[in-house]
Amino acid sequence: MMKKRKIPLRKSVVSGELFPKKELVRIARSKEGEVAIDPSGRMPGRGAYIALDPKEAQAAWDKKILDRVLEVKLTDAFYEELLAYVTHQKARKELFANE
């Protein structure tokens, strides 16, 4: 009998819901205060997760949630990049979901 693998769960900082790690995107803040989208989930530094949902990315931008969670001032350009990334990833997921 095969042992059931545990699926790592993470909490979205926007909705507060738990999701499997693969359904979230990590935003990492380095010690130097630089913030980047972390697709691998392995960058060093403080991380915050948001669901792969453009609505969540937009809510994070509107309410400046990531600024608060990561204790750093983020530019609109970063939020635009995040929104574009999340939209793209969601579209990819839906495209390859039936494989």
Side-chain angles (χ1 to χ4, degrees):
M1 189 170 139
M2 263 182 66
K3 197 171 141 192
K4 228 172 122 69
R5 278 191 76 194
K6 201 172 102 202
I7 298 169
L9 296 174
R10 296 290 180 270
K11 189 184 281 191
S12 166
V13 294
V14 179
S15 67
E17 282 182 73
L18 283 173
F19 292 95
K21 199 172 167 185
K22 283 191 181 346
E23 291 176 24
L24 298 163
V25 62
R26 182 174 185 258
I27 294 94
R29 186 198 74 213
S30 68
K31 281 194 172 96
E32 293 77 42
E34 291 170 34
V35 176
I37 296 169
D38 178 12
S40 69
R42 287 183 167 75
M43 284 170 80
R46 179 108 174 88
Y49 292 87
I50 71 163
L52 281 176
D53 182 356
K55 287 190 212 92
E56 279 216 6
Q58 190 64 55
W61 187 357
D62 294 342
K63 297 175 185 162
K64 300 282 188 211
I65 291 170
L66 292 171
D67 295 46
R68 227 175 25 247
V69 172
L70 297 173
E71 298 167 357
V72 69
K73 185 93 186 88
L74 295 171
T75 62
D76 281 347
F78 175 80
Y79 279 110
E80 282 169 24
E81 183 189 345
L82 178 64
L83 190 58
Y85 176 83
V86 167
T87 305
H88 176 76
Q89 289 300 324
K90 186 174 185 210
R92 277 194 65 199
K93 200 172 199 131
E94 286 167 4
L95 201 64
F96 298 114
N98 53 8
E99 282 186 12

